Amino acid sequence: MRQHITKILGLDKPHRVAIVGAGRLGTALANYKGFERSNFAVVALFDNDEKKIGRRIGEDKIVVHDVREMPRLVTEQGIDVMVIAVPARVAQRVLNQIMSAGVKAVLNFAPASLSARLDVKVKTVDLTTSLESLSYFLARPRLVR
């Protein structure tokens, strides 16, 4: 049963992940070891900051590439999932670059509402909304279980 569900979810094959934004959040995500349990491997980071390009991040020494190299590296490295970890003001531009590179699955950490083509799935992780939900729980401990 577990193998069947794993196959249905598409977790029976490895997924190669790249992160756009090599700041604090992008670096923390690149170092997160929990991805490996679900068959995800972070293989590249992208940034436009010349001071970060060429650096190696984490134990696995993942290289930070110039964001302009994204289309080539997506193809060469078989990247099928991208993570957006950039400021909100540039998130849509980054998503447009990701879509142009041919990636169809995007996890967005930028606090922005993004517009994608119909054939591209964007999942937004909104930390503020999650914290607000927890605050509501704390404010009404007897009402919410």
Side-chain angles (χ1 to χ4, degrees):
M1 177 73 140
R2 182 177 183 181
Q3 286 178 332
H4 187 65
I5 292 170
T6 299
K7 187 172 184 172
I8 289 170
L9 294 174
L11 297 174
D12 58 328
K13 65 176 188 137
H15 293 282
R16 297 176 62 78
V17 179
I19 299 168
V20 182
R24 289 185 294 252
L25 178 57
T27 299
L29 291 169
N31 284 312
Y32 178 62
K33 295 298 177 197
F35 292 131
E36 296 165 1
R37 290 190 299 265
S38 294
N39 229 356
F40 292 92
V42 177
V43 297
L45 284 106
F46 295 97
D47 208 291
N48 63 356
D49 184 344
E50 291 183 16
K51 294 176 203 154
K52 295 176 183 174
I53 295 168
R55 284 184 35 211
R56 294 182 175 272
I57 304 296
E59 292 176 20
D60 296 332
K61 303 292 184 197
I62 302 165
V63 177
V64 178
H65 299 277
D66 190 316
V67 73
R68 293 175 292 192
E69 293 184 63
M70 186 188 306
R72 177 180 63 81
L73 289 171
V74 162
T75 300
E76 284 179 7
Q77 296 193 20
I79 296 166
D80 60 349
V81 178
M82 295 286 286
V83 177
I84 297 176
V86 300
R89 69 183 184 282
V90 296
Q92 184 64 55
R93 182 172 11 144
V94 167
L95 176 59
N96 294 345
Q97 290 174 297
I98 289 169
M99 291 188 295
S100 292
V103 176
K104 306 282 189 205
V106 180
L107 183 61
N108 173 39
F109 280 93
S113 179
L114 303 178
S115 297
R117 295 189 317 253
L118 290 176
D119 65 333
V120 176
K121 176 64 176 169
V122 177
K123 176 69 177 164
T124 297
V125 177
D126 188 334
L127 298 175
T128 301
T129 300
S130 296
L131 288 170
E132 288 170 351
S133 172
L134 290 172
S135 176
Y136 177 80
F137 171 78
L138 290 172
R140 289 157 187 79
R142 286 182 244 144
L143 298 175
V144 181
R145 290 188 183 235

